Amino acid sequence: MKQRNVLVLFFFLMITVAQSQQLSDYDLWLKYNLIENSELSDSYSKITNSISISSESEVFKNLKKELSLALPKILNNKTKFQNGFTNETTLLIDTFKNLPTDLKPKIQKSIDSVNEEGFIIKSIAFNNKQLTIITAKKEVGLLYGTFKLLEFMQLHKPLTDIDVVDSPKIQLRMLNHWDNLDRSVERGYAGFSLWNWQKLPEHIDQRYIDYARANASIGINATVLTNVNANALVLTPMYLEKVEALANVFRGYGIKVYLTARFSAPIEIGNLETADPLDSEVQKWWANKASEIYKRIPDFGGFLVKANSEGQPGPQNYGRNHVDGANMMATALEPFGGNVIWRAFVYSEHDDTDRAKQAYDEFLPYDGKFKDNVVVQVKNGPIDFQPREPFHPMFGALKKTPLAMEFQITQEYLGFSSHLVFLPKLFEEVLDTDTYQKGKGSTIAKIIDGSLYRNKITVMAGVSNIGTDINWTGHPFAQANWYGFGRLAWDPYISSEQIADEWLRLTYNTDDAFVEPVKRMMLTSREAVVNYMNPIGLHHIFDTGHHYGPGPWVDNLGRPDWNPVYYHQTDTEGIGFDRTTSGSNATEQYAPHVQDMYNDVTAIPEEYLLWFHHLPWNYKLKNGEILWDGIAIKYQEGVDQVKTMIKTWDASKSYVSEQEYNDVKMLLQIQLKEAQWWRDACLLYFQTFSKLPLPDKVEKPTHTLEYYQSLKFPFAPGIKPKWD
Ligand code: GCV
């Protein structure tokens, strides 16, 4: 072969290898790697040798498709499917009501203990042989059970005596896409929106199916397709037809579709002169709109609404309030079983109260006044998805209104998709927090899952980090944040450590020598980002608009509470926002025990110190360091933690493919560079006030403050759209 031909062949070979590795990124945690241990593989093969499936419904078709895809890959052999139960059956998948009559008593107790979406996987002796069954009250439970069985195989868990009885603890496990109709994604760092509105409804991209598979595999059962900064056009027939096509795909995976509803839609697309919620024409318009949507999508979930927040229209434009607005929409959806999810992310330009207090002040008087099909969705903290915030004081304080948790999976304030930050650690910290609102043990998890106040609707929402990037999430490790969100929405009590462990084994490699150190790296990554961005309770010191990189000096924006200087309140005396009784008194919004803890500078956990206290530069921290030194050392610690992450990843090289290794390695280098940038820019700026030298342990900045202040990023991704 001529040398040129050899070169061309080599080139194509390289491209194919790279592509197949990228495609493996596309497979997320559903890689279904071959099991090389023949004993294990044989034992799984015995169980899955002959699978009985009796129905041809969409859900059954999908679970059968998944098994047909997964089993040959995991076990390297063909699976036989049978229609209905026979003597040959080794794995029986069916709803409880359709199980053979003499099998039912063996499962009755377990089935009584699961809810409508729960499932059972059990190995039982039946007709003189061992049979494995997946059963549930509803078909969707069978889908979840099937994914669980496949997960067990991928985790190499024994199945011989399997006995799993599991139900989701939260009813609506929901992704919020901040996707615009032009396919840009607000705060999206993983490409464009998945929804190709131009080609819908005719063209069903394989991505929609794989998105649904991935979500179903972790129990996500609801998706809000559009941005909360909403465009009314999505409610017009042209778009509803497209939404219907997506809903038709998702239904067979147990996923309901929701839309964001722009409050002024009756004016913008309905030709009305007002959107006043007490106007009968407006009410009629929404009732008709609901009926039109349900004709197309009988299982439509409902509306997510951002009203009177950051310029979005709402009932207050007409002198009405949140209850008027939410209940009007809830009345329209009620006949069809739909819900209104009304966001509590509000702060007003006419109110100069501490922004951290405003949502609570605005919503508390309405507790108990919303209709039964309204849920109020609250961000985890009182400001805005910072690397660390104390919990939102609305949790536990509203006792008669179901509250939904809103987490942000996309990393708006956490280094976009360039930084490896394992968010389940943050989610876990929030869920485990005790609000003390109904005595000790009133954790946020118990508020969200409804066990504390017995609310009828329970919701956990996550602002999606998904886009058209081949690996879906930009950073390969950001897949773990999607995965982890789903796992916690199913069960808010599982540990972040368990999630990291599972995800690593499913995604990369099941070898403990790989999993243990990389898991530790993931678990430290959240504290690292806090340290190099916002240590000791600092917050919202991000650069303007895009929130990429540091901007603690910014003081020129239209509203005081958009400026970082508002949040750190630095002066020559000290630093921090006084939210105690001597300051904005935001602490009064918490239960007495928490108030006392946050007000007392010696009792407050130091990670929240500067969130609640303004302290002198020479204030002594618990470890004896003065505050200035403590802040500087934390910034350095964050940088050092990233250096350790790089070392850990380097040591894992032999356990992952070259492409996987290089990809993460390059991203970690960006993270290190940006961690150093954060440290240097913030310390140089704060030093102009503290006038103190950097402690010896802290590396010296490589640029001047003026240099950092001069950096501009007009094309940083995820910025709010212009038309908004
Ligand atoms: C969708 C923050 C973000 C906005 C986002 C808003 C919200 O302000 O920066 O992009 O808007 O939160 O949650 O509504």
Side-chain angles (χ1 to χ4, degrees):
M1 215 184 290
K2 283 200 182 123
Q3 200 186 3
R4 193 170 149 269
N5 288 351
V6 174
L7 271 176
V8 170
L9 199 70
F10 177 73
F11 177 71
F12 280 113
L13 205 68
M14 291 314 288
I15 291 186
T16 319
V17 170
Q19 278 176 343
S20 66
Q21 278 165 348
Q22 283 182 337
L23 287 178
S24 127
D25 274 356
Y26 177 89
D27 288 338
L28 297 159
W29 47 88
L30 301 173
K31 297 226 172 23
Y32 301 134
N33 290 329
L34 178 72
I35 294 177
E36 280 162 16
N37 173 337
S38 56
E39 211 178 306
L40 194 62
S41 174
D42 286 351
S43 81
Y44 290 171
S45 295
K46 264 193 207 133
I47 289 167
T48 54
N49 184 28
S50 174
I51 305 178
S52 286
I53 284 175
S54 60
S55 158
E56 280 300 306
S57 75
E58 281 304 303
V59 172
F60 268 96
K61 269 194 219 150
N62 287 337
L63 69 85
K64 184 172 169 186
K65 257 200 313 204
E66 198 66 28
L67 288 164
S68 317
L69 171 83
L71 292 174
K73 285 193 183 183
I74 299 178
L75 305 174
N76 203 11
N77 59 18
K78 274 223 154 87
T79 303
K80 209 162 69 196
F81 287 98
Q82 306 185 60
N83 203 352
F85 183 64
T86 73
N87 261 346
E88 270 180 52
T89 306
T90 55
L91 174 62
L92 171 62
I93 306 178
D94 216 335
T95 48
F96 183 73
K97 66 176 176 2
N98 291 334
L99 292 184
T101 325
D102 34 354
L103 198 54
K104 286 186 178 171
K106 294 180 189 279
I107 299 162
Q108 188 70 53
K109 224 168 115 203
S110 306
I111 201 80
D112 289 344
S113 71
V114 299
N115 63 29
E116 297 293 284
E117 290 179 290
F119 62 86
I120 293 155
I121 314 178
K122 212 175 173 63
S123 171
I124 39 178
F126 187 64
N127 283 354
N128 298 325
K129 55 181 209 158
Q130 208 58 25
L131 173 71
T132 304
I133 54 163
I134 301 178
T135 190
K137 289 181 176 153
K138 295 251 166 78
E139 287 186 0
V140 71
L142 303 178
L143 185 68
Y144 295 144
T146 302
F147 275 113
K148 187 54 76 183
L149 186 82
L150 292 171
E151 179 193 307
F152 268 49
M153 290 187 187
Q154 291 182 92
L155 294 175
H156 300 185
K157 290 190 180 178
L159 294 182
T160 344
D161 298 314
I162 189 165
D163 188 1
V164 178
V165 180
D166 198 5
S167 295
K169 297 195 167 63
I170 292 172
Q171 292 157 7
L172 292 176
R173 306 173 295 280
M174 167 183 271
L175 287 180
N176 288 185
H177 288 269
W178 286 356
D179 293 17
N180 301 309
L181 298 182
D182 65 359
R183 295 194 77 183
S184 62
V185 181
E186 186 161 341
R187 312 309 178 188
Y189 314 106
F192 291 99
S193 166
L194 293 185
W195 326 130
N196 192 334
W197 298 110
Q198 183 64 27
K199 290 188 180 157
L200 281 163
E202 290 85 1
H203 183 256
I204 301 299
D205 196 310
Q206 179 63 31
R207 279 260 177 172
Y208 308 150
I209 298 161
D210 292 331
Y211 164 87
R213 289 175 50 230
N215 280 327
S217 75
I218 47 176
I220 287 175
N221 66 353
T223 180
V224 186
L225 300 176
T226 44
N227 191 352
V228 286
N229 290 330
N231 189 322
L233 285 180
V234 79
L235 300 177
T236 57
M238 182 172 103
Y239 278 95
L240 288 176
E241 193 187 6
K242 300 166 192 283
V243 172
E244 180 186 350
L246 289 173
N248 290 343
V249 174
F250 298 158
R251 187 170 299 114
Y253 287 95
I255 300 168
K256 276 189 183 181
V257 161
Y258 287 68
L259 290 174
T260 45
R262 188 164 163 89
F263 203 80
S264 50
I267 303 172
E268 287 156 17
I269 58 168
N271 289 326
L272 297 189
E273 276 174 9
T274 176
D276 181 350
L278 299 194
D279 183 291
S280 61
E281 286 302 304
V282 172
Q283 294 168 353
K284 206 154 62 185
W285 188 86
W286 281 107
N288 288 340
K289 189 50 73 183
S291 151
E292 179 189 344
I293 297 175
Y294 278 91
K295 261 191 212 117
R296 290 182 177 278
I297 310 168
D299 58 347
F300 180 66
F303 296 136
L304 169 65
V305 189
K306 171 174 177 177
N308 293 120
S309 163
E310 299 188 327
Q312 293 300 305
Q316 291 168 359
N317 298 33
Y318 307 94
R320 315 297 181 195
N321 61 37
H322 291 294
V323 176
D324 298 327
N327 285 355
M328 180 270 294
M329 286 192 180
T331 306
L333 294 169
E334 199 174 22
F336 311 99
N339 293 321
V340 170
I341 304 183
W342 193 265
R343 292 178 90 229
F345 178 68
V346 293
Y347 58 100
S348 158
E349 65 265 44
H350 308 298
D351 187 346
D352 57 9
T353 325
D354 175 3
R355 174 171 155 188
K357 294 178 71 175
Q358 293 188 27
Y360 173 103
D361 285 346
E362 215 170 305
F363 276 85
L364 203 74
Y366 303 135
D367 191 18
K369 302 208 164 113
F370 291 100
K371 284 179 75 84
D372 280 355
N373 57 334
V374 177
V375 186
V376 173
Q377 183 165 301
V378 185
K379 290 188 180 183
N380 61 275
I383 298 288
D384 196 10
F385 301 133
Q386 299 301 291
R388 172 170 277 126
E389 293 193 39
F391 68 94
H392 201 301
M394 283 175 71
F395 288 115
L398 275 80
K399 299 182 167 54
K400 292 177 264 169
T401 306
L403 296 189
M405 168 60 74
E406 180 175 319
F407 283 129
Q408 193 179 47
I409 315 174
T410 191
Q411 293 169 236
E412 175 180 354
Y413 298 97
L414 289 120
F416 294 8
S417 61
S418 329
H419 293 208
L420 190 166
V421 182
F422 181 56
L423 291 175
K425 189 81 182 149
L426 184 165
F427 303 157
E428 173 185 54
E429 177 177 295
V430 176
L431 293 165
D432 288 352
T433 304
D434 197 342
T435 67
Y436 284 86
Q437 286 286 7
K438 205 176 157 194
K440 193 167 163 41
S442 308
T443 63
I444 295 197
K446 287 192 198 162
I447 292 161
I448 297 310
D449 77 5
S451 54
L452 195 70
Y453 296 133
R454 302 268 146 230
N455 33 298
K456 287 202 203 111
I457 313 179
T458 56
V459 186
M460 194 192 286
V463 179
S464 152
N465 62 345
I466 304 165
T468 50
D469 277 8
I470 290 186
N471 70 8
W472 301 84
T473 54
H475 198 303
F477 273 73
Q479 295 179 355
N481 295 335
W482 175 10
Y483 177 85
F485 167 78
R487 297 287 285 118
L488 284 166
W490 180 278
D491 181 354
Y493 303 94
I494 56 176
S495 73
S496 58
E497 177 164 3
Q498 182 188 329
I499 295 169
D501 194 284
E502 285 170 4
W503 179 80
L504 281 170
R505 288 173 199 276
L506 297 171
T507 306
Y508 286 112
N509 196 314
T510 50
D511 195 326
D512 287 345
F514 164 77
V515 172
E516 291 306 321
V518 180
K519 183 167 67 184
R520 276 198 302 282
M521 169 181 92
M522 290 170 79
L523 293 171
T524 346
S525 62
R526 187 304 184 97
E527 207 54 39
V529 78
V530 171
N531 288 337
Y532 63 71
M533 284 187 182
N534 290 192
I536 318 190
L538 287 172
H539 52 287
H540 220 308
I541 53 175
F542 294 78
D543 202 1
T544 306
H546 44 65
H547 301 152
Y548 169 61
W553 46 80
V554 175
D555 62 358
N556 59 352
L557 302 179
R559 297 171 45 152
D561 55 7
W562 281 349
N563 287 298
V565 295
Y566 168 89
Y567 293 99
H568 59 68
Q569 309 256 329
T570 302
D571 52 33
T572 49
E573 302 297 311
I575 181 168
F577 197 129
D578 184 0
R579 294 194 165 100
T580 67
T581 39
S582 58
S584 77
N585 205 11
T587 48
E588 74 173 345
Q589 297 181 335
Y590 293 96
H593 174 87
V594 180
Q595 277 184 34
D596 292 347
M597 178 173 63
Y598 287 167
N599 279 329
D600 180 350
V601 74
T602 61
I604 187 168
E606 275 185 350
E607 57 258 36
Y608 300 128
L609 199 59
L610 302 177
W611 186 287
F612 287 107
H613 295 266
H614 185 83
L615 295 169
W617 293 110
N618 63 0
Y619 172 80
K620 275 266 168 64
L621 295 170
K622 286 187 186 132
N623 63 5
E625 285 160 2
I626 60 162
L627 181 59
W628 164 251
D629 286 356
I631 293 173
I633 289 166
K634 278 282 171 202
Y635 271 108
Q636 181 64 46
E637 193 180 323
V639 171
D640 293 342
Q641 283 164 317
V642 180
K643 288 182 185 164
T644 308
M645 287 162 71
I646 293 176
K647 281 198 194 125
T648 307
W649 189 247
D650 278 349
S652 317
K653 190 171 179 179
S654 59
Y655 296 96
V656 296
S657 72
E658 202 179 333
Q659 157 98 18
E660 286 166 336
Y661 168 77
N662 285 335
D663 201 14
V664 174
K665 166 104 185 167
M666 289 185 286
L667 289 164
L668 284 169
Q669 293 296 354
I670 299 180
Q671 186 166 358
L672 177 61
K673 193 175 81 187
E674 295 188 354
Q676 288 163 333
W677 168 31
W678 267 94
R679 176 197 62 198
D680 295 349
C682 292
L683 290 178
L684 280 172
Y685 169 73
F686 291 134
Q687 197 175 34
T688 62
F689 297 92
S690 79
K691 312 256 189 278
L692 291 167
L694 288 176
D696 290 344
K697 303 185 200 173
V698 178
E699 288 163 358
K700 303 294 163 277
T702 46
H703 295 281
T704 61
L705 176 60
E706 291 67 37
Y707 165 79
Y708 294 117
Q709 288 175 323
S710 73
L711 299 176
K712 295 280 170 285
F713 305 97
F715 304 113
I719 302 179
K720 286 177 171 226
K722 289 272 180 308
W723 46 260
D724 179 38

